[in-house]
Amino acid sequence: MQKQKGILWKQIIAGILIGLVVGLIGGYFLGNSMAPSGPLFKGEIKIGYAESLTGSLATEGQEGLNGLTLAVEEVNAAGGLLGNKLTIITGDTGERDPLTVTSVFNQLIDSEQVDVILTGVCSNTNFEEQTCNDKQMLYVISGSSAQTYAIIGNNGSSYPYVWSFAPLYSAYYTVPYYMDQWKNEGFASLPTKKVALITSDNPYSKDIADHLRTNFVADNWTVVVDETVPLETITDWSAILSKVRTAKPDLIVNTDYQYANEAAFLSQFLENPTNSYMFMQYAPSTPEFINLTGTQANGIFYDFPWLTTRDVPLYAQLEDNFKARFGYTPGTYGHMLYWELYAYVAAVKAAGTYKDKLAVANQIAKTNETTSLGTIVFDQQTHLAEVGETMLPPTYYQIWNGQRVLLNTPYQKGNFTTPPWFH
Amino acid sequence: MVPLNPVTILDISLLFSALIGGVVLGAIYALMSVGLSLSWGVFGVMNFAHGEILMVGAFSTSVILGLLGINIVFIIPMVLGLTFLIGFLLQTVVIRPLLRSGAPFLIVTIATFGVSLILQNSVLTMFGARYRQLPTILKGAFVWGDASISFQKLLIIGIVLFAFLVFELFLTRTNTGTAVRAVAQDKEVAELVGVNVQIIFAIVLGLASLMAGLAGILIGSIVWIFPAMGTEPFIKATLVVILGGLGSLRGSFVAAFIIGLIESFTTAILGVFWAPTILFVLIIAIIIIRPSGLFGGHNK
């Protein structure tokens, strides 16, 4: 018994020592990132940031954190918000399982008592929107608008604390019509109107695939391959690609948003390509996809509810500032979190207080903010950003030599072009 | 509910694709799982840091490649040496003191989990979360009808088979290999006849880590490298080790290819969504029939 006690004490002491070492290392990095500098502040406003900061989804989470950090540094350098210093409190939602997300939100709201929570997207269903609204916590999100719509619907007045920078995804469902348009304009050839539809088992991808399937069928397309892959890293696409090659569709649509999966899909497709155009959801908009695929991505096209072009001066400016600060070019979430913070700052200034969250939320509702991705104006029924030529215009892009070539006005840079793998 | 999506015509290209895909998956799973099985067989600890050592193998290759800019072939031996050293130190600095202090195996296992977190988050902090890829040694693909396989994947199958041959020769034809097998069979007797069990333990974890490092390099050349890349291969390797029989090297080797082929053929015939379901149902059925796994208790 004595020996066991001794062993237990040794283990406890070892545990404490390990904890101290980890704590010191973590504290060093955390302390550095939060070291006070510049003007004196009369208080602190806590900006909660919930996202995947570790694990397979960490790229966008870290990028969003950097975008947020950039904006916070600018605001603090300019004297803070109503004389208060902005401090970022992070919550890591990891692989976005509901238990982790719930725990993160409880921590941010109840323990940290943050003043607002910002995110790109941090769960698969956006269920945390309900939590935030119930706990009267101001929450601004930028992704998965279909899931936000499933929660809020047209009942925005019941969700005063929740606002989304993402517009309704109806523009995403227009692929068959754009293909028809490009065919009629002589840019595309569709001899069979057969489509291979591949999606991933998550609400975002499935919702888009379901709407696309309906629209393809309504537009007299035949869905010849219809596959759903699990929401995980797909190493080997050969079986699905074999089905695609046998069917020889005019168009391949892959709505698995994970850029690593889509890049692997493309790479393996190009081992033995068919004369098929290829549409991919979301992934081609990320710098990671471009980095991984290089010129292999030439000819891939995608649509997007935000403007992502350096022809917009604000976009180029923010991209340059971000790169100068963090050493790499951001994707959409680097921009989004930057502007979410500024929307919050504008709302607090207009409300004259940060403590009355409902007053701030009511000011967020009036947002009319010109951002690097378009102008954000909220639909008062859905609390989603509005789509429109003067707000967030629906856009189609095709990748050529690492560049996103915009296919729509007002910043059109080219026409839809046949990919190089056609033979 | 995702509908079953059976192929209506027995497409020979599809089945060929499934066969090749299954063999490639099996080869990588084998490389991952044999190290895990070896460390379990020799000192009875499930090393939860195994997946992260795979990740370190892939990341360090990428980093050295960026620094030196030489052909990846020359970097592989350096990385294998590094991962061997990590395994050796893991045994010497973390596992050995805990086992010596009489800590239960659960504590030791949790310690390896702690190491996995430290490794993953250290890499995340140092190199960021962005995905990378290693260059392929061979370009191009073998095309047969509607099926294809890249030459890189064929090379991977060859490398794995060669690695196993070398490993088998090491275990059966060298004094150290004989000592490893002796320790795996009976530690006390091995110690009595003069085998330095602690050194053997460290060598075993070093070799297991070396295999994981090689798996990391191979995976990194056909998919992507990121700090959490070790998690999924580790889960698959654990399944392989359980199916093959805990501690059975040959069992792991065979089970790896069984699992790879099940996944691949299920994907081809029913759709990829059903692959994990069918895989787990079959594994559960086998474990019910043979609780010690396919080769458990017979073959170390």
Side-chain angles (χ1 to χ4, degrees), chain A residues 3 7 10-11 14 18 22 29 53-60 62-63 95 201 206 225-230 232-243 245-248 258-261 263-264 267-268 271-272 287-288 291-293 328-331, chain B residues 1-2 5 7 11 13-15 17-18 20-22 25 28-29 98 101-104 107 118 120-121 124-125 129-133 140-141 143-150 153 219 222-224 226-228 232 236 264 267-274 276:
Chain A
K3 192 181 174 192
I7 291 165
K10 277 183 190 171
Q11 288 161 4
I18 290 168
V22 172
F29 285 110
L53 299 173
T54 58
S56 62
L57 303 166
T59 312
E60 282 140 347
Q62 294 284 355
E63 183 186 292
E95 300 296 331
D201 188 26
K206 276 179 73 80
V225 175
D226 197 348
E227 288 280 343
T228 303
V229 301
E232 60 183 43
T233 306
I234 308 294
T235 314
D236 182 25
W237 290 94
S238 58
I240 288 177
L241 283 171
S242 193
K243 291 179 187 178
R245 286 170 186 136
T246 304
K248 295 181 176 52
Q258 298 177 92
Y259 53 81
N261 281 354
S267 170
Q268 290 171 32
E271 288 172 7
N272 184 14
E288 290 78 13
N291 290 340
L292 292 175
T293 54
Y328 67 95
T329 305
Chain B
M1 184 68 182
V2 175
N5 186 20
V7 285
D11 185 327
S13 293
L14 186 62
L15 296 182
S17 283
I20 296 293
L25 281 179
I28 291 171
Y29 293 164
L98 284 170
S101 71
I107 298 287
I118 290 168
Q120 190 179 131
N121 288 301
L124 181 68
T125 306
R130 301 204 128 189
Y131 285 48
R132 304 158 176 237
Q133 190 182 28
V143 176
W144 187 68
D146 290 328
S148 70
I149 176 171
S150 66
K153 285 182 180 173
I219 291 174
I222 54 169
V223 280
W224 319 115
F226 56 102
E232 219 162 284
K236 287 280 164 58
S264 192
T267 302
I269 296 166
L270 297 178
V272 69
F273 191 86
W274 290 93

Side-chain angles (χ1 to χ4, degrees), chain A residues 160-183:
Chain A
Y161 295 94
V162 180
W163 298 89
S164 173
F165 268 42
L168 260 184
Y169 286 158
S170 50
Y172 277 160
Y173 315 144
T174 55
V175 181
Y177 313 123
Y178 270 88
M179 288 305 304
D180 283 344
Q181 181 187 321
W182 292 326
K183 182 193 170 193

Side-chain angles (χ1 to χ4, degrees), chain B residues 281-295:
Chain B
V281 166
L282 281 174
I283 287 178
I284 290 167
I286 291 171
I287 296 299
I288 288 171
I289 297 164
R290 283 187 62 86
S292 58
L294 291 174
F295 293 80

Side-chain angles (χ1 to χ4, degrees), chain A residues 271, chain B residues 136-143 148-158 222:
Chain A
E271 288 172 7
Chain B
T136 52
I137 296 169
L138 296 178
K139 310 282 181 200
F142 171 72
V143 176
S148 70
I149 176 171
S150 66
F151 292 134
Q152 181 72 13
K153 285 182 180 173
L154 288 173
L155 179 69
I156 286 174
I157 296 172
I222 54 169

Side-chain angles (χ1 to χ4, degrees), chain B:
Chain B
M1 184 68 182
V2 175
L4 282 169
N5 186 20
V7 285
T8 48
I9 302 167
L10 197 62
D11 185 327
I12 196 74
S13 293
L14 186 62
L15 296 182
F16 177 73
S17 283
L19 178 67
I20 296 293
V23 171
V24 173
L25 281 179
I28 291 171
Y29 293 164
L31 206 55
M32 267 299 292
S33 58
V34 164
L36 202 61
S37 183
L38 184 70
S39 52
W40 175 273
V42 173
F43 51 89
V45 171
M46 182 60 87
N47 177 16
F48 270 72
H50 201 68
E52 273 58 46
I53 294 171
L54 174 147
M55 177 271 295
V56 169
F59 253 97
S60 49
T61 306
S62 172
V63 170
I64 297 171
L65 200 63
L67 289 174
L68 302 183
I70 55 176
N71 193 302
I72 190 171
V73 174
F74 301 110
I75 295 170
I76 291 172
M78 297 184 217
V79 172
L80 296 186
L82 174 72
T83 49
F84 179 89
L85 189 65
I86 291 172
F88 195 93
L89 289 174
L90 176 61
Q91 163 63 23
T92 312
V93 177
V94 179
I95 296 176
R96 184 175 165 188
L98 284 170
L99 287 175
R100 254 193 186 166
S101 71
F105 281 100
L106 183 62
I107 298 287
V108 183
T109 302
I110 289 171
T112 65
F113 182 65
V115 171
S116 81
L117 291 178
I118 290 168
L119 285 175
Q120 190 179 131
N121 288 301
S122 300
V123 170
L124 181 68
T125 306
M126 285 190 284
F127 303 109
R130 301 204 128 189
Y131 285 48
R132 304 158 176 237
Q133 190 182 28
L134 295 176
T136 52
I137 296 169
L138 296 178
K139 310 282 181 200
F142 171 72
V143 176
W144 187 68
D146 290 328
S148 70
I149 176 171
S150 66
F151 292 134
Q152 181 72 13
K153 285 182 180 173
L154 288 173
L155 179 69
I156 286 174
I157 296 172
I159 289 174
V160 170
L161 293 177
F162 178 72
F164 271 91
L165 181 66
V166 171
F167 193 59
E168 181 73 18
L169 289 175
F170 165 77
L171 284 179
T172 54
R173 303 286 171 89
T174 66
N175 288 338
T176 310
T178 307
V180 168
R181 287 188 292 128
V183 172
Q185 283 169 13
D186 195 318
K187 292 176 201 46
E188 284 75 23
V189 173
E191 208 157 18
L192 280 175
V193 297
V195 174
N196 186 335
V197 172
Q198 295 306 328
I199 289 291
I200 293 297
F201 280 177
I203 289 173
V204 163
L205 203 53
L207 285 173
S209 302
L210 180 150
M211 298 285 248
L214 180 59
I217 298 168
L218 298 182
I219 291 174
S221 71
I222 54 169
V223 280
W224 319 115
I225 300 173
F226 56 102
M229 68 177 284
T231 308
E232 219 162 284
F234 174 76
I235 293 168
K236 287 280 164 58
T238 307
L239 281 180
V240 168
V241 170
I242 292 169
L243 182 65
L246 287 168
S248 166
L249 297 188
R250 283 171 199 162
S252 293
F253 187 76
V254 174
F257 284 93
I258 290 174
I259 286 181
L261 289 167
I262 288 173
E263 277 191 343
S264 192
F265 275 95
T266 309
T267 302
I269 296 166
L270 297 178
V272 69
F273 191 86
W274 290 93
T277 312
I278 300 292
L279 181 64
F280 276 97
V281 166
L282 281 174
I283 287 178
I284 290 167
I286 291 171
I287 296 299
I288 288 171
I289 297 164
R290 283 187 62 86
S292 58
L294 291 174
F295 293 80
H298 298 291
N299 196 352
K300 283 196 169 180

